[in-house]
Structure formats: structure tokens, C-alpha cells
Amino acid sequence: MVRNKLTLLPCLMSLILMSASCGGKNESRRETTTEGETRVVAETPFSADSAYAAVAHQVAFGPRVPGSEAHKRCATFLSAELTRHGLDVIEQPMTLTAYDGTRLECVNIIGRYRPEASERILLFAHWDTRPYADAESDPAKWRTPIDGANDGGSGVGVLLEIGRLLQTKGLREGLGVDIIFFDAEDYGVPQFAEYDGDTEKTWGLGAQYWAKNPHTPDYRADLGILLDMVGGEGAAFYREYFSQESAGRAVTEVWQTAHDLGYGSYFHNAVGGGLVDDHVFVIRHRRIPCLDIVDYDPARTTGFPATWHTLDDTMEHISRETLQAVGSTVWTVLTKK
Ligand code: AHN
Ligand code: ZN
């Protein structure tokens, strides 16, 4: 009797932990946070190490500014990775015009999982990086391109890992996915420039092009999920305003899933400010309901993380835990569809 009780106790404990973190559906594990605390999170097949390596690989090319050699080489890498994961890859080359008239040779990179399926989820991120560190206080740094480990690199890193899972784990029959890496998101008018036009239109150039010229005529998806700055240490994800308006129910589903997995400390269940990001153009021109998982806290001075558009947006500030929180959440949402 006594022995029975003793062996039962640890089992009961882990059962309680499991149901607390994820309703008992998944295996759970203890994760030690960078602050040295422990948190119980659900086990999913998403590998933060793989995502992290994919971010590091992009950063190693150097800043991926449209027109640069690093940009070209990174495009080749991204296409090859999606192909390696068994996706059907389409490159959409385009010449875009920046706010200052600069012609940009760009490419959107699309990886299709089950292209024939009519039920589809669109997952997207921008892969270019900002030519300007215009959020630096020192004007001498404003024209230096940034590494974009978080801003650019992180969303792509998470989606490359999701691409690997599509091949190795798959999704239920009849459900297709498109992964799109949009170019020229971050060539928007810098803070130091004088500009008369509509600043909104200077951001998300690759997404704007695609939304008006999709890779298949009349392309549609049931839902779009944008990942933007999803790898920063201490990230905070709020229910972004336009996402809320366009795909409120899906936002609830994603935030609830994150909470159930044990990532409620990243996904705040409160509405955040509206952000002109790639999803706005996909919503507006393709009428696809979209949500943006973006490190954006309306309570901070810029709204964005401290490294945003600075020379500190480097690998040093990339957190595997944050990548895990977002990757596990998005993967779990897909498996529930
Ligand atoms: C604005 O700053 C208006 N939109 C930019 C969204 C963004 C930039 N995401 C990453 N970099
Ligand atoms: Zn940016």
C-alpha cells in the first residue's frame, strides 16, 4: 500500500502539470528560462535549434538588402531549403521602386505543400533586411544596413522549420499550406528622409506586388499568418489591431493555443496597436483574413523591441525560447485545422 502511494505520487504530479499546461493532450517538459525560472511547456516536434540555425545561416550572408550580393545568395539558399523540404517552389522575380526612386531587383519565394488542396493556410514572413539603422540615436549610423537577425531572419527561420515538419510529419488530408517569403518589406521611408508621398505604400513592396499579382490567378487561402520579429529575447505578442479586425477568431485560436502550450507569458491577451505590415496588403488586395504575430508592444516608446532598426538586431539577441514559443504555437494550430 505504502509503496503504491509513493509511486503514484510522482505520476499524479506530472498529470497535474500536464493538464495545467496543455489539457493533457501533449507530453510536457520543463524548460529553464534565461531568467533561470522553470516553466512547463508542451512538447511539440518543432525544433528551436533548427530554427535558430536557419536564422544564423541567413545572418551569415550579411545584410540581405535588395541589390546586394548577400541578398542574391540568401535567395538561392531559401529556395534550396524549401526544395529540400519537398515543397514545390516558385520564385516570383520583380523590379520594384523604392520611396526614393531606387530600382530594386527583388524576388518573392513561395514553397507549396499540396498545391492541389483547396483548403489552404498561408504562412508568410519577409526575408529582406533594412538598409538603414535609422532607429539609432547616432546619425552617423543611420545609413548602415542592419543584420536583421530578428527583423527578417526570425520569421523565415521559424517557417523553414515548419517546412521541414510539413515533410516529416505532414498535416491532415486535404489541407494545403503555402509558405511565402516576401521581399522588400523593410525598404520603407527612413526617419531621416523628407517624404511627401503616402509613407504606408513604401513598406511591404514585395507583398504589395504579390497581392496584386499572385503566383496563381485568383489565389485564395482560408487564413494567413504573418511572422515578424518572432525571435527576440523577451518578446511580447499582442492581438494586433488589423489582425483582430480581419481574423479575430483565428487570433483567439492562436493566442489560446499559445496559452495552452505554456506560452501565455509571450502571447498577451490584449489588443495592440495597428501595424502596417505585409499582412495589411494581403488582407486589402486579396481579401484573405490574416493575422500578424509581431513583437510589438504599444506601451513601449517606439512600440517595437529595443533592437528594432538598430545595429543591435544581431544573433546575440535571438532567443531559442521565443522561437520555440512561436514555432510550437503555429505548428499546433496547423495540426488542429
Ligand atoms: C512601419 O514601421 C509603419 N511598418 C513596419 C513594419 C515592420 C518593419 N516590420 C518589421 N520592420
Ligand atoms: Zn523592419
Side-chain angles (χ1 to χ4, degrees), residues 126 151 185-186 203 228-229 275-277 304 308-309:
H126 77 92
D151 193 357
E185 187 277 335
D186 232 347
W203 301 92
D228 189 10
M229 300 186 275
L275 187 54
V276 179
D277 208 342
F304 292 105
W308 177 73
H309 294 182

Side-chain angles (χ1 to χ4, degrees), residues 104-118:
L104 308 172
E105 293 307 323
C106 291
V107 60
N108 291 329
I109 302 167
I110 301 146
R112 303 191 294 172
Y113 170 74
R114 291 195 188 132
E116 71 290 348
S118 58

Side-chain angles (χ1 to χ4, degrees), residues 59 97 150 162 174 300:
V59 171
T97 307
N150 195 25
I162 298 261
R300 285 183 303 227

Side-chain angles (χ1 to χ4, degrees), residues 92 94 96 106-108 128 180-186 202-213 278 281-282:
Q92 182 177 54
M94 65 219 149
L96 302 168
C106 291
V107 60
N108 291 329
D128 64 303
I180 307 190
F181 298 144
F182 286 121
D183 206 345
E185 187 277 335
D186 232 347
T202 69
W203 301 92
L205 298 179
Q208 291 191 56
Y209 181 91
W210 176 85
K212 290 171 188 161
N213 312 277
D278 282 342
F281 304 106
V282 179

